[in-house]
Amino acid sequence: MEAVKRAKNIKISVIMGVYNPTQKQQLFAAVRSIIGQTFPWWEMIIYDDGSSPDYAETIREAAALDDRIVYMRENRNRGLAYALNQCIMKSRGKYIARMDADDISKPDRLEKLYDFLENHIEYAWVGSNSELFNDQGVWGTDRRAKIPQNKDFLPYSPYIHPAVAFRKSILIENQGYKVSETTRRCEDYELFMRLQSRGYHGYNIQEPLLQYREDCSAYRKRRYKFYIQEMKVRYNGFKKLGILRPGTMIYVVKPLFVGLVSPSVMQHIKKKIKRGG
């Protein structure tokens, strides 16, 4: 009876796209951090984006941890943007909260995101700061602008994607995530700039509601073509936001230089900047 009552009162749909999760315990920890939320009126949609059989079984096991979790599967890998759009179409909540397969949500994360969106109708989405952690524990804090302006998109996205919750209606009205080869690996950056250019705005709660996994392996995920694609996303996004000019071209080509830096050096730079906030 309680399960039926919860299903009728879903307020937030937590969406997660997963592909070949190599660290089973990280996935399980991420899912359990949602199960343990103080806010009870949620569902979680886990989308297997064409994982190989062994990894697919791990994802099915994670989805079986709670009856509020919906499991979906694609037979071939289509990318995160496609996966998240499928989750949005399947969702029943008023709000869409993101979650990645290797991060940890603080117990009151959904409660605070829900309360904010309920009480601040002027914002289309809300995110938060995050704690940066690896297998050794928390090593830093990632703070983002409270109310990002157009210029805040220049260095990087002013929102931490897996920390954000959107109004579902806004995503539907604006066709969700863009599915294309150019936006692959930076679909969130493209979405935030597109929405901002259309007059929507977001907010970042100034406390860490998410633990964001950040270690050396994070910098090994991209091939150089993805840095080229990010450059194109930046160019188009900055143009829509009206911040593309000779003085900002350095931010357009920034990914090309980042892609040449070794993972260990990138991790060292990030820690120097973020350690201790």
Side-chain angles (χ1 to χ4, degrees):
M1 193 66 180
E2 183 64 26
V4 174
K5 181 181 178 181
R6 287 202 306 260
K8 290 182 178 179
N9 288 280
I10 292 171
K11 304 298 183 183
I12 299 178
S13 296
V14 182
I15 63 174
M16 176 191 286
V18 189
Y19 176 66
N20 284 351
T22 58
Q23 301 295 325
K24 179 177 180 178
Q25 293 310 311
Q26 290 181 9
L27 172 60
F28 275 49
V31 173
R32 288 192 177 110
S33 75
I34 297 298
I35 295 173
Q37 290 292 300
T38 57
F39 184 86
W41 312 117
W42 57 266
E43 68 174 350
M44 186 176 195
I45 304 173
I46 299 179
Y47 190 93
D48 179 351
D49 188 24
S51 299
S52 58
D54 289 346
Y55 293 118
E57 181 58 31
T58 295
I59 299 171
R60 280 192 288 267
E61 289 177 14
L65 292 173
D66 194 282
D67 60 10
R68 290 168 288 184
I69 301 176
V70 178
Y71 170 77
M72 300 176 68
R73 174 171 168 78
E74 170 70 30
N75 290 325
R76 64 187 180 93
N77 182 243
R78 302 283 293 270
L80 183 60
Y82 181 88
L84 296 181
N85 284 343
Q86 299 308 302
C87 292
I88 292 167
M89 289 189 288
K90 182 75 172 179
S91 67
R92 294 174 287 176
K94 179 180 180 181
Y95 303 119
I96 302 292
R98 278 284 291 113
M99 185 66 190
D100 277 346
D102 57 355
D103 298 330
I104 302 292
S105 287
K106 296 292 187 71
D108 58 353
R109 179 190 167 215
L110 294 185
E111 181 178 355
K112 289 185 175 179
L113 296 180
Y114 177 81
D115 287 346
F116 182 90
L117 289 171
E118 285 287 287
N119 291 294
H120 296 84
I121 61 173
E122 67 272 29
Y123 294 107
W125 65 90
V126 60
S128 74
N129 293 336
S130 74
E131 292 176 345
L132 301 172
F133 80 112
N134 54 27
D135 290 340
Q136 284 69 54
V138 175
W139 59 263
T141 303
D142 191 345
R143 294 187 174 92
R144 301 295 168 106
K146 182 184 291 187
I147 307 173
Q149 305 301 308
N150 289 3
K151 65 180 177 58
D152 293 311
F153 285 87
L154 289 170
Y156 44 70
S157 173
Y159 301 97
I160 302 166
H161 191 203
V164 168
F166 298 90
R167 298 186 188 278
K168 179 181 176 179
S169 59
I170 299 298
L171 292 177
I172 297 297
E173 291 167 12
N174 290 275
Q175 296 79 50
Y177 293 86
K178 184 176 181 179
V179 180
S180 75
E181 187 61 27
T182 299
T183 57
R184 199 173 178 111
R185 297 296 184 97
C186 46
E187 51 279 308
D188 56 317
Y189 201 4
E190 188 280 331
L191 174 64
F192 289 129
M193 287 193 287
R194 173 160 40 98
L195 292 177
Q196 181 104 352
S197 72
R198 293 177 179 180
Y200 301 101
H201 296 281
Y203 184 97
N204 282 315
I205 296 173
Q206 295 297 291
E207 62 178 293
L209 300 180
L210 182 83
Q211 288 189 326
Y212 184 86
R213 184 174 294 277
E214 187 78 82
D215 52 32
C216 197
S217 64
Y219 299 103
R220 297 195 186 103
K221 295 177 181 177
R222 285 187 171 189
R223 289 174 293 185
Y224 199 74
K225 73 171 186 176
F226 292 120
Y227 293 103
I228 296 174
Q229 289 168 189
E230 182 184 341
M231 180 185 68
K232 295 177 181 178
V233 167
R234 284 169 173 262
Y235 180 88
N236 292 327
F238 294 174
K239 187 175 182 180
K240 290 177 182 177
L241 290 171
I243 56 176
L244 182 67
R245 56 182 69 97
T248 61
M249 283 301 295
I250 186 64
Y251 293 105
V252 174
V253 299
K254 174 187 172 183
L256 300 184
F257 297 100
V258 172
L260 296 174
V261 180
S262 72
S264 59
V265 171
M266 280 301 301
Q267 177 71 353
H268 177 74
I269 293 172
K270 190 71 173 280
K271 284 191 173 184
K272 289 283 287 186
I273 295 172
K274 301 295 184 181
R275 191 185 296 276

